[in-house]
Amino acid sequence: MSIESEQYTFVMERLKADFPDLAAQLDQELKRGRAVSGQKLRREERHERASRLEEAHLPALGKTDVAVIPYSGEERVGLIREALLTLAETMHASRQAVLKLTMEWGMDQEVRFGDPEEENPSFIYLREETEHARTMLATVRDLLSEGFDEMQPERAR
């Protein structure tokens, strides 16, 4: 098994345990593959597809046709990296924007969710949430800047 495959497996297992919705979304995207034009297919991919199309009595793949090919191990890891970084950046930026808005308008920085009549509505403190999101963004950036070295299983090191 390649390093990329081990990294992918390790990270996806962690995501499935900690963030099942995110893991399912990434898994679905990765299984779907990526679309490329017939012109951009590698020679061996083009030959393989041409053989399959011929066997099915279908016309040959043209330069403007689109084919779906699986992501390589490196591309899968890259997609996960991009998704995690985008998620962390978005979480931090959205909390920071709401905190700034509440401060500018002199609003309460405690956000309550649910019916005010309920006995136990849920709530968050924007300053704490923003700081937590900032810390998580820094952690994600640190991990991704080092590659996945720290996240790899022991046997892959």
Side-chain angles (χ1 to χ4, degrees), residues 85-149:
L85 185 57
T86 300
L87 178 61
E89 288 173 340
T90 302
M91 288 175 63
H92 180 248
S94 62
R95 284 157 178 76
Q96 198 171 34
V98 173
L99 178 61
K100 181 180 177 186
L101 183 67
T102 59
M103 290 171 64
E104 287 174 358
W105 286 84
M107 299 168 67
D108 190 5
Q109 293 176 6
E110 178 184 282
V111 178
R112 293 185 189 104
F113 298 94
D115 187 351
E117 304 287 323
E118 280 186 32
E119 208 170 289
N120 295 320
S122 59
F123 56 91
I124 62 170
Y125 297 103
L126 287 173
R127 279 196 191 280
E128 290 174 15
E129 278 294 310
T130 303
E131 180 56 26
H132 180 68
R134 186 197 63 73
T135 303
M136 292 308 299
L137 175 57
T139 300
V140 168
R141 283 181 175 158
D142 286 346
L143 287 171
L144 296 181
S145 70
E146 297 173 10
F148 278 113
D149 293 343

